[in-house]
Amino acid sequence: SDPSDPSDPSDPSDPSNPSDPDAPSSVGGWIGSVFGGSGTSPAAVEGAESVSPAEMRARRLARMTARAAATPSFSAEAERPEKPSKKARDGGGAVPMDVDPVPVSEKATDVAMPDAKPAVERKSAAGRSSEQKLARWKEITVRRVLRVCYGSPGGRPIGDATYVVLDDPRTYDPCAGGLTVPGVGELFSNRLSMSGLETSRRESRIKYLASSYRSAIEEIRSVQAGSASGKEELVAMLHEVRSQSVSYAASFLVVPDLFGTETEDTATTAQGGPDASLPEPARQLVDLLMAGSKADCGITIGSTKPGSGGECFLTALLEELATQHDALAEVVGPIIDCVLEQMKKLDTVLDIVSATGNDALACLAALTALAIAHKGAATAIVRHGSFLLPPEGSRMAEETVVVNPMPLPPPDAGPGATQRQRNFLRQMLMAMGGGRMSYLKRSGPALDRDTLLGNALRIGLSPEKESVLSHFTNITNRPPSEVTASRDSMRAAIRTHRKAIHGLLMALLKSGKDCRLSVMKWVADALVLNVGATAMRPDKSKVSNPQTLLNLAAVMFRLSEPFIDNPAKVKNIDPNFIRSEGAHGGAFRSSGDDAVTRLADSTDAAVPDQSGHPEGPSPNPGDYNFITQCFFFAARALHLGLGPSSATHTTVVRQAFALRHRGGANGGDPASDPRFQHVFSLQFAGEVTAVDPELLTDALRFYDTLSAFMLGMKRSEVVGTMPEHFMDDMCEHVTFVTRFHAESFVGAPIGNMFRLVVRLLSPDYAQVVRNYNLRAKLGDTLYNVFLPSDANDRHNDIPPSVYCDPVMGGTPYLLSDPSAQSTLAPSLLLLYGEVEHTGFYEKMLHRAHIASLLRYLWHSTEHRGAFQKITQNKASFIKFANGLVNEMNSLISSVMEKLPQIRDTQQQMVAPDWMSGHTDEERERITSIHDDNENEVKRALPLCNKTLQMLEFLNSDQAIKGLFLLDELCPRLVNMLMHVLNKLVGSRRYELKVDNPESYSFQPKEMLRDLCSIFVLFANSPEFAKECASSGYFKTSLLSGALSISARLNLLVPHKRQLFESLVLRVEEARLINEQEEEALADAPAEFLDPIMATLMTNPVKLPTSDNIVDYSTITQHLLNDPHDPFNREPLTADMVQPAMELKERIDAWLKGRRRT
């Protein structure tokens, strides 16, 4: 078959394609490849007898067998006899070869000349001169390429070149052009049959052949560039050198004892070798593959296109093996086994296999070289038994493997450690792994331990590994520059390792459809089997090593790199892939225990948007382009790898902070605590990979591309079919980056993320994103990243270039985006109420963030129109405002209760008898309660402050203030304000005086100023003054005391102070009026009184669910917090109540009569 002919049906690169070993048009079988030359028949030699190729192979095989049997040792310094014996002529006394090239300018007299006369007839003197020059040229070239000199028996070696006897006169005649093309085969045969090949240079036969091949190519280029006569014959001879180098190497690999049974690579054997069971030729090839282009023979240097003329030695060798039936797979298989065994001995990228000196990069270089050099080799890799796990549901998949890892030594707790400290260290040891473990042959651990790619990805920089952690021990006493250098060098190592894995995957993916499907099948299996990796405590018997998943996430991003930030290619992503289990292999299951939650409930109906399958998503992976597969698998890998890595690091940082704070609070030095030292070392070791700026920025780029993809979906139901974790991961990642490495945002595109968050928070998508926790995280994302620093109280300032839109002249996204201008304000008000369902403590932080966002939007003219529209939905705003009041009441009660306790504990800790008057257990108990109180106050006070500020700026709008004055809101608002005011200026205000109040965000002056400003806004409202006078918190001295303190501290500007003074007078007047009315109405009939509040009803209504009559303002306030009838708990809404007209008429008549009297 002709590889260059596209019409030829046979494929010589296909290892499954058998070829005729005796075919003269190719090298043929391994015997023919050694002895048959490059298709040149022995009969073609001038004067040679006509023999068949089979006869010639038989003769040469017999001669080689005889020489292999007689291989006495030889010393390079031994004196040669004048007439060498037959044993010497057969090659028994060859000197070791030297790879140093012989200069072209070497004198002709240096060439060894044979004693015997040639068998062919002598030519004329001029002819002899020309032929002799060509012969000498050949001899010098051969010495430079093959590092041998040659001739008839009796010749002597020149320099370090090995002398090879050519006893067949038809292959060599110095007077007739020297070495013939068929003579190259004879030369190789005799040279390779010699013993002691490595006694001087320790050079293996495969390396020698590879070096000869490369040297021949270089000589061909050099000769062809010249114009000397006879170069065509020399080039033909060099081409034969190339062919024979490859043929002999292939034959040696197929028949390891071709040149005898002695171990040749003595250096490798002495070291223990990569694999004692590996045949010698394969071990030699492995050594060269591990060295890669760094080896002096350079087996991977050159083209990887067979038949190009400049292909590298490895490509030519694998192409030669591919012509033999199953030879390629038989040779590559043991090499893969050897590489896999070496990778299994490595845990981190810092480790080296002691027996060979190889590291993970060397192993990956070997596999990548094979995959790049020949598609047949790549096919052999993916068909190897270690590439894929057993199929799901097979008997082998259910088999169990039992391993007994060595237990890790516990960190030294120190002689004075308490029992709690010892328990902490014991739990840490258990978490780090130790003891007996079993796993299924189809599981995450099996993926790590038993598959080729799993072993490559497993090698990382786990913080628990001693080789990693040792770089960060005693961290508090080491120079920062030293720690930074260790971190940066490790990051460089892991990046290089991931790049190497990416190179291997690219080589396999480019090697044909079968290879690509196998690689994507492995990735799908990795995602399916590690669905539990995101658990708080993953089951190590079921999921892979965290380093495996983190490396997989990084590598999958590299595979996605060509279409990241490329809108044209993003359009090729098919959203139907997510709903085709046959296509994604179960990585995004929609049902069962391993179901992946969608943003909204999806159906099995076809999604017409961007779909080429009107009948529904196709189950065939081949129907989806590689961009689609890679995109969704990368998103899933980031969820399983990067997400848990970030969460683990955050936990370790919190542990270190808690230990440091607790140690300092107890009067000790945290650095002397072994627990703190160990956790602090883990924190720095984890930062190497978890806070790698390159990976953080790459993930930001990916999530912005994901956002662009989802923004391109025109229908909300298509968006609802996307996995919920897509958005959750994006929000968690930006939060992590904001906290630990805000610099990663610089240069990363995030505009699409902003636009997607705004869209998903909008009322139109409230039914698409139904998870309240996720909606809260979307709001947090706006706060953490897109709220300008001057309006934000976060600790890590985001550079303006991040939250400003470069397309809009550097204006913040919050102000410039049209969709944000129209929908964001009402969306945030809706979200403020929704986060009630996220948890007691969590909602405080979410609402504090929302309040900051609303305040920023309020002061921008771009959003004023949206705020004005808010008042049009009266019911919705009343619900929001009521939640605001309830929240403030709850928070202020908690804060004002905890602050006096914090003050008492602070005074106790600074007392002289704090250490001596309490036991360790008592101090630890007191400190623990104190920490809990501090944490609760720190959560609540920021929201208290922002709620007061929000009430102030919202009520500066007349329409909104009018809603707050409604009967259902005004009493609740006034009671809340009076409650807070009583705590700040009342008689017990000095109990709130704590040390370092700023650490709790407790700013009493600012709180009083904001509170007084709210009172000022309602100074001219009679309804407000009346409710103030009616409040249960009202005291005559309360408002006047607030006025006095605010004036003394200069908290209000003169204009506001005057309004506050007027309000105090109005409230006093209202108090007097209330007292008069109470006296006048003291004898009101019982049926006129509200049964809940015991006050005179002014607007009685009947509750249809219980037939009770209450005042309308009473029931509406109740329903704002509880949608049930207060008398029988039946569901009730405000629109269900019925006016009690007859009763109202009697109440009005009675009031009219009382007023006349």
Side-chain angles (χ1 to χ4, degrees), residues 45-46 111-114 118 120 122-123 127-140 142 150-151 166 168-184 187 230 233-234 237:
V45 182
E46 183 180 355
V111 181
M113 299 299 294
V120 297
R122 297 286 185 177
K123 298 184 178 181
R128 284 199 305 271
S129 175
S130 176
E131 295 292 341
Q132 287 175 352
K133 288 182 180 179
L134 178 59
R136 290 168 183 167
W137 190 10
K138 288 182 178 180
E139 289 183 16
I140 294 172
V142 167
Y150 53 87
L166 294 179
D168 189 341
R170 294 168 298 180
T171 61
Y172 167 73
D173 185 352
C175 297
L179 185 68
T180 62
V181 170
V184 173
L187 185 63
E233 188 174 346
L234 182 59
M237 182 194 72

Side-chain angles (χ1 to χ4, degrees), residues 253-500:
L253 288 167
V254 175
V255 184
D257 58 352
L258 179 63
F259 300 110
T261 58
E262 75 279 4
T263 300
E264 298 189 40
D265 194 352
T266 56
T268 303
T269 305
Q271 297 173 4
D275 186 354
S277 63
L278 192 66
E280 178 62 30
R283 181 158 62 232
Q284 295 175 14
L285 181 56
V286 167
D287 289 341
L288 297 181
L289 290 171
M290 293 284 191
S293 60
K294 295 181 292 185
D296 52 9
C297 63
I299 66 170
T300 59
I301 297 177
S303 171
T304 58
K305 183 179 180 181
S308 63
E311 62 267 35
C312 66
F313 174 77
L314 183 59
T315 296
L317 174 60
L318 295 175
E319 177 67 13
E320 178 69 17
L321 290 170
T323 63
Q324 310 301 315
H325 182 63
D326 293 336
L328 183 59
E330 291 174 0
V331 170
V332 173
I335 293 176
I336 297 174
D337 292 334
C338 174
V339 174
L340 180 60
E341 287 304 313
Q342 293 203 55
M343 283 198 295
K344 287 182 177 181
K345 299 175 183 178
L346 303 171
D347 288 325
T348 73
V349 294
L350 309 176
D351 298 342
I352 294 177
V353 179
S354 58
T356 62
N358 292 324
D359 58 7
L361 289 179
C363 297
L364 291 170
L367 296 172
T368 306
L370 289 171
I372 292 177
H374 201 278
K375 291 184 177 181
T379 302
I381 291 175
V382 299
R383 292 180 180 176
H384 191 267
S386 66
F387 194 81
L388 292 175
L389 290 174
E392 184 178 6
S394 64
R395 175 180 294 181
M396 183 178 294
E398 301 301 323
E399 294 179 3
T400 302
V401 179
V402 179
V403 293
N404 293 283
M406 294 294 293
L408 297 173
D412 184 12
T418 64
Q419 184 61 41
R420 182 172 180 176
Q421 291 173 331
R422 295 190 181 95
N423 292 338
F424 175 83
L425 295 178
R426 187 178 299 109
Q427 293 173 2
M428 181 175 292
L429 173 63
M430 294 175 63
M432 292 169 62
R436 189 169 179 267
M437 186 184 78
S438 61
Y439 61 88
L440 297 176
K441 286 190 174 180
R442 181 176 172 80
S443 63
L447 198 81
D448 292 349
R449 297 168 181 263
D450 303 330
T451 68
L452 199 63
L453 294 179
N455 270 276
L457 291 164
R458 171 187 57 81
I459 301 169
L461 285 173
S462 176
E464 292 87 3
K465 297 298 181 182
E466 181 61 27
S467 58
V468 178
L469 194 60
S470 61
H471 288 79
F472 302 99
T473 55
N474 196 25
I475 195 73
T476 56
N477 298 322
R478 296 175 61 184
S481 58
E482 181 181 332
V483 176
T484 301
S486 297
R487 182 197 63 194
D488 292 346
S489 63
M490 288 186 182
R491 282 179 179 170
I494 193 64
R495 291 170 185 172
T496 303
H497 179 69
R498 290 167 179 167
K499 183 178 180 180

Side-chain angles (χ1 to χ4, degrees), residues 2-41:
D2 183 5
S4 64
D5 183 7
S7 63
D8 188 358
S10 62
D11 182 8
S13 64
D14 185 357
S16 63
N17 178 33
S19 57
D20 183 4
D22 295 326
S25 60
S26 65
V27 179
W30 68 266
I31 295 292
S33 69
V34 176
F35 301 109
S38 57
T40 305
S41 171

Side-chain angles (χ1 to χ4, degrees), residues 820-997:
Q821 294 172 6
S822 61
T823 67
L824 189 54
S827 297
L828 292 175
L829 290 178
L830 176 65
L831 183 63
Y832 196 95
E834 291 175 336
V835 298
E836 178 72 26
H837 307 283
T838 60
F840 178 74
Y841 294 114
E842 290 79 3
K843 70 178 181 181
M844 296 183 191
L845 182 61
H846 296 320
R847 284 177 170 167
H849 293 171
I850 296 171
S852 295
L853 288 165
L854 286 171
R855 182 181 183 183
Y856 178 76
L857 300 183
W858 177 267
H859 294 291
S860 65
T861 56
E862 292 86 352
H863 291 266
R864 188 51 56 89
F867 277 102
Q868 291 174 351
K869 292 180 181 179
I870 290 174
T871 59
Q872 298 173 4
N873 190 340
K874 177 181 175 181
S876 178
F877 184 83
I878 290 176
K879 184 177 180 180
F880 157 74
N882 180 72
L884 206 65
V885 172
N886 288 342
E887 185 74 22
M888 190 64 186
N889 280 326
S890 174
L891 294 175
I892 206 67
S893 297
S894 175
V895 167
M896 298 308 171
E897 176 188 356
K898 300 299 182 184
L899 283 175
Q901 297 178 20
I902 291 174
R903 182 173 183 269
D904 292 342
T905 305
Q906 288 177 341
Q907 292 176 346
Q908 190 176 10
M909 287 181 172
V910 297
D913 62 343
W914 167 244
M915 297 298 295
S916 60
H918 300 83
T919 64
D920 291 344
E921 287 73 13
E922 289 175 340
R923 287 198 305 273
E924 189 168 353
R925 179 182 58 82
I926 294 172
T927 302
S928 178
I929 295 175
H930 180 64
D931 290 344
D932 292 340
N933 289 337
E934 285 189 324
N935 290 333
E936 186 167 346
V937 170
K938 288 178 180 178
R939 292 189 190 101
L941 266 174
L943 183 54
C944 284
N945 298 331
K946 293 183 179 182
T947 302
L948 286 176
Q949 295 167 5
M950 184 159 55
L951 286 170
E952 180 185 357
F953 69 71
L954 285 176
N955 283 288
S956 64
D957 182 88
Q958 290 298 321
I960 293 178
K961 185 171 68 174
L963 294 176
F964 272 102
L965 290 173
L966 294 173
D967 290 344
E968 45 269 59
L969 280 181
C970 190
R972 297 183 56 78
L973 174 65
V974 168
N975 281 328
M976 182 270 291
L977 295 176
M978 298 294 285
H979 179 210
V980 179
L981 189 62
N982 184 51
K983 293 294 183 181
L984 290 178
V985 302
S987 59
R988 304 181 64 179
R989 64 182 181 273
Y990 295 105
E991 296 178 0
L992 307 178
K993 191 175 182 180
V994 296
D995 296 335
N996 301 319

